[in-house]
Amino acid sequence: MQSSAELGSTRKFVDLVDVIVNCNRWMAEGTVTVMAAFDYAPQFVDAVVVSLSEDRLTPYLLQSKGDRVKAIKLYERNIAVSEGFYSIIHILEIALRNTVHGTLSKQVADDWFDQVGLSDFSAKNVAKARESIKKRGKDVTTSRIVAELGFGFWADIFRVNRLWMDHLHVAFPGRQRKDIHMPVDAVRKFRNRISHQESILARNLSDDYARIMWLIAELSPETAQWADRQSRLQAWHLETNLPSST
């Protein structure tokens, strides 16, 4: 026999299932709006400001000239824009990683990272990748090492001129090393801002978007078209106009 606490938990679960089922039916029938407008009543605004902290909201409060509702809406926009950018940066990172690994595997060896002259930073990253894989109790394989290496590693690869001259230039015909390294490093810094939940709304977001898409197109024009088509970033995301406070 279930206890009263267990019965209460079961009822809550059943109620939640009913809500989900009914929402799905209402959405299919077109009788419900998926996202209702939020009521920015003073008590909600006060609570959100406390939760986020005024320090974190400072850049948004400055941009909104102290209007807390506008500041919170700007914060919401920053979240949406950051999510949208993270998805296309994800595509760039995977495509860049696979292109570099594929090129160096063919020209050097499958474990090229142990045989070419990496920078101290990149060599340490490879060592950390091995250690991380061992700690998880997994076999240290080339594919696992490559997957473990972060965006900073792949950006750093293009700082090594000898690697470019001897091998990587073949993956980017007609380009010089700086043509790839400079935008990749700019995306790396941009990615770090997003990862640390910093505000990106004061940036030229159209330029950021174009830079990422240009790099993906250098790797694969078809992939760039796909990434652009599926991107959740819409025109309003890249605008800098202040939202209303209503």
Side-chain angles (χ1 to χ4, degrees):
M1 184 175 180
Q2 287 182 307
S3 67
S4 58
E6 290 172 329
L7 283 170
S9 178
T10 301
R11 289 194 187 102
K12 287 179 181 178
F13 177 75
V14 172
D15 289 344
L16 178 59
V17 171
D18 286 342
V19 168
I20 294 171
V21 170
N22 286 330
C23 279
N24 287 337
R25 176 171 57 81
W26 294 332
M27 288 169 65
E29 294 171 353
T31 57
V32 67
T33 302
V34 177
M35 182 65 74
F38 184 75
D39 179 14
Y40 293 89
Q43 67 268 29
F44 290 112
V45 173
D46 290 342
V48 171
V49 170
V50 170
S51 295
L52 297 178
S53 84
E54 288 201 11
D55 283 346
R56 174 161 288 277
L57 284 173
T58 293
Y60 307 96
L61 287 165
L62 289 172
Q63 194 173 351
S64 66
K65 297 181 179 179
D67 186 319
R68 296 195 306 165
V69 172
K70 284 185 179 180
I72 291 171
K73 288 185 176 183
L74 284 169
Y75 194 87
E76 294 167 3
R77 179 180 293 181
N78 193 71
I79 292 172
V81 174
S82 296
E83 288 175 348
F85 269 108
Y86 206 85
S87 67
I88 59 172
I89 291 173
H90 160 86
I91 294 168
L92 170 61
E93 181 173 354
I94 299 299
L96 184 66
R97 180 178 79 190
N98 289 338
T99 295
V100 171
H101 176 57
T103 301
L104 293 177
S105 293
K106 288 179 181 178
Q107 298 215 357
V108 182
D110 202 38
D111 60 345
W112 54 269
F113 39 80
D114 288 330
Q115 302 191 39
V116 299
L118 297 176
S119 69
D120 288 343
F121 171 84
S122 289
K124 287 177 182 177
N125 271 259
V126 172
K128 287 179 182 177
R130 280 197 169 93
E131 190 62 28
S132 178
I133 295 166
K134 288 178 182 177
K135 284 182 178 178
R136 297 200 301 270
K138 302 290 187 180
D139 292 334
V140 178
T141 63
T142 295
S143 60
R144 286 192 175 123
I145 291 174
V146 169
E148 191 77 20
L149 296 168
F151 196 93
F153 175 89
W154 303 107
D156 189 68
I157 282 288
F158 293 97
R159 287 201 308 112
V160 182
N161 190 55
R162 178 53 59 190
L163 270 177
W164 175 268
M165 296 295 293
D166 290 349
H167 307 293
L168 289 177
H169 71 278
V170 302
F172 303 92
R175 301 298 181 191
Q176 298 181 22
R177 181 177 63 85
K178 65 181 179 66
D179 296 334
I180 305 301
H181 175 248
M182 290 178 67
V184 167
D185 199 52
V187 173
R188 177 189 65 81
K189 293 174 182 176
F190 182 41
R191 179 185 183 276
N192 287 346
R193 288 191 65 86
I194 293 173
S195 297
H196 289 95
Q197 296 89 43
E198 297 179 22
S199 175
I200 62 173
L201 298 183
R203 299 174 61 92
N204 188 325
L205 296 173
S206 294
D207 281 358
D208 287 317
Y209 190 86
R211 182 182 297 111
I212 294 166
M213 285 302 170
W214 182 85
L215 283 167
I216 298 175
E218 286 292 301
L219 300 164
S220 167
E222 294 80 9
T223 302
Q225 289 182 41
W226 168 72
D228 184 52
R229 182 63 179 267
Q230 66 83 43
S231 172
R232 289 178 293 171
L233 287 169
Q234 303 297 325
W236 72 270
H237 285 139
L238 307 182
E239 294 174 357
T240 56
N241 296 332
L242 284 178
S244 70
S245 57
T246 57

